[in-house]
Amino acid sequence: MVLVIDDLVLLPLAFVGVEPVPNMFMLVFKGLHKHILEQMYPLDRIQDAIKENRMEFELGETAKTDYEKRHKDLMKQLEMAKKVRETVIEARTDLLNV
Amino acid sequence: MGEYLYCIIRMGETPKMDFEVRGIGNREIRCANYNDLTAVISETPLKEYKPTEEYTKEHKNVNLHILENHTLLPVAFGMVFKNKNILLNTMRRLYPVLKKSLRLVDNKIELGVKVVIHKELDVEKTFGKDKEKLRKECEADFAALDKIAVQAKAGKLFSERLVLNRSFLVDREKIDKFSAAVEKLRDKYKKLKIQYTGPWPPYNFVNIRIMGRGR
């Protein structure tokens, strides 16, 4: 839902150009955009989950196969989160020429 | 081919320089010397190393092997140099920092202690607001370990089950004393899990990251 609002509002800006948009307006959108990314692709939380999974394996609470499966999933999530952030931020920078 | 860097040690510190361990991609471990320092390296294809389970394990194994007989400066995972000359130039440039860091960790290792709430307990239900009280109590008791160590550092509480996460830089001669102190605390905190790990290279006290990207 939040992403839809973000995209819908930002999209027309690409067509009208950046110049007429006041700086404060852009700042709000940048802040909102950053917040959405953090909610949807929480790098910190994924990294914490990787460490927690490792800790549980080392404590003998998780079987090796389960540990490896979860580790693989989390690494995929981490890579995706990094990729999406880089891609979206680059695209926005290009789109808004800022 | 490039050179993958694992750690830096003092040259000729001990005569045992025939490393019985293989590096990343099962490659032979070699040395590159600058002045009185030795970089522990292996030949590697020039590429970016992703921190996969396999690669990080290989990187860690090399450092753990070297740690058995040397004081070492661990280098962050994934540090690849285009060739030996660039590596040696970097060592020349960083020589004072490397020497200073080596002095800091001389004859010392890192030990880790985590205090963890049992998995089957619901943290919120069981502890609620008391969790903070428990954390403070733990911190006060575990401060006894700080006194044995040369340095101590608090780590991130990355799980809600974690009450305490601390790394210690300890003199090799004091490992037994430190372990005995941990066991004493284990007795006191029987209701919690205490994870005591090490010896590790002093990752949390010196960790060389050259040219930006690290672990």
Side-chain angles (χ1 to χ4, degrees):
Chain A
M1 182 65 184
V2 184
L3 178 71
V4 174
I5 292 168
D6 173 56
D7 277 350
L8 285 177
V9 181
L10 275 180
L11 200 59
L13 296 179
F15 296 106
V16 297
V18 172
E19 298 226 351
V21 182
N23 282 344
M24 277 305 290
F25 195 56
M26 287 311 298
L27 278 176
V28 170
F29 277 114
K30 278 185 182 175
L32 183 66
H33 191 233
K34 196 179 162 204
H35 178 73
I36 290 161
L37 281 178
E38 274 160 14
Q39 292 299 312
M40 289 189 66
Y41 305 101
L43 274 181
D44 275 2
R45 259 186 279 161
I46 298 169
Q47 281 165 341
D48 285 355
I50 290 171
K51 288 180 194 167
E52 188 178 45
N53 185 40
R54 179 80 205 171
M55 181 183 79
E56 290 181 352
F57 172 61
E58 286 171 355
L59 286 170
E61 297 171 347
T62 310
K64 194 174 181 191
T65 45
D66 293 339
Y67 159 72
E68 283 172 347
K69 188 177 176 292
R70 176 137 174 81
H71 181 76
K72 210 173 164 186
D73 288 348
L74 287 166
M75 288 305 284
K76 260 187 203 167
Q77 283 181 39
L78 185 70
E79 205 163 312
M80 173 66 85
K82 281 182 180 171
K83 208 173 272 181
V84 166
R85 278 179 175 226
E86 279 167 20
T87 311
V88 174
I89 289 166
E90 275 167 20
R92 284 279 180 263
T93 306
D94 187 39
L95 190 72
L96 300 170
N97 194 26
V98 288
Chain B
M1 291 292 259
E3 302 288 354
Y4 186 99
L5 177 62
Y6 299 89
C7 62
I8 287 165
I9 58 177
R10 279 197 199 89
M11 189 168 65
E13 191 182 50
T14 76
K16 192 177 160 55
M17 298 291 265
D18 51 333
F19 306 118
E20 296 155 357
V21 67
R22 305 292 287 187
I24 282 188
N26 199 31
R27 288 179 187 273
E28 188 191 353
I29 294 296
R30 299 182 293 122
C31 293
N33 299 324
Y34 174 77
N35 219 333
D36 56 343
L37 299 180
T38 293
V40 178
I41 54 174
S42 65
E43 208 174 46
T44 184
L46 276 174
K47 65 172 188 176
E48 187 184 339
Y49 279 94
K50 287 187 177 157
T52 61
E53 184 79 357
E54 190 191 351
Y55 284 151
T56 49
K57 197 173 167 188
E58 286 173 329
H59 178 97
K60 191 174 88 179
N61 282 347
V62 172
N63 280 345
L64 283 177
H65 179 79
I66 308 289
L67 186 70
E68 286 173 16
N69 295 297
H70 301 269
T71 291
L72 69 82
L73 288 181
V75 175
F77 173 86
M79 213 57 78
V80 178
F81 291 80
K82 200 173 174 185
N83 57 50
K84 215 171 181 175
N85 279 343
I86 294 175
L87 168 65
L88 293 176
N89 271 330
T90 309
M91 285 173 77
R92 180 178 54 79
R93 208 162 28 86
L94 295 177
Y95 185 74
V97 180
L98 297 174
K99 286 289 280 184
K100 194 178 166 190
S101 303
L102 265 171
R103 272 196 299 275
L104 171 74
V105 298
D106 190 24
N107 204 34
K108 296 175 190 76
I109 46 95
E110 182 175 320
L111 296 168
V113 175
K114 290 187 185 78
V115 180
V116 189
I117 294 169
H118 280 271
K119 196 176 187 181
E120 42 293 347
L121 291 180
D122 183 318
V123 179
E124 280 308 309
K125 266 188 194 168
T126 315
F127 295 97
K129 284 177 186 169
D130 288 342
K131 197 182 165 195
E132 203 44 48
K133 200 177 146 195
L134 177 68
R135 179 167 295 143
K136 281 184 180 153
E137 197 185 311
C138 264
E139 276 173 359
D141 282 338
F142 280 75
L145 300 177
D146 291 19
K147 288 174 190 160
I148 303 169
V150 179
Q151 269 189 44
K153 267 189 186 171
K156 189 180 180 192
L157 299 176
F158 53 79
S159 161
E160 66 162 10
R161 292 176 57 203
L162 265 174
V163 179
L164 186 119
N165 178 16
R166 218 157 164 77
S167 303
F168 302 88
L169 187 66
V170 180
D171 264 314
R172 284 180 192 257
E173 288 76 30
K174 288 189 178 171
I175 296 175
D176 289 344
K177 191 180 175 186
F178 190 91
S179 301
V182 173
E183 289 315 307
K184 210 172 153 187
L185 288 161
R186 204 192 287 277
D187 281 345
K188 185 176 175 183
Y189 287 92
K190 278 181 182 158
K191 285 182 182 169
L192 298 169
K193 282 191 173 182
I194 295 180
Q195 190 191 32
Y196 176 39
T197 59
W200 304 114
Y203 286 115
N204 284 296
F205 299 92
V206 282
N207 196 6
I208 311 294
R209 290 173 190 214
I210 305 160
M211 293 172 192
R213 234 178 250 212
R215 202 166 33 127

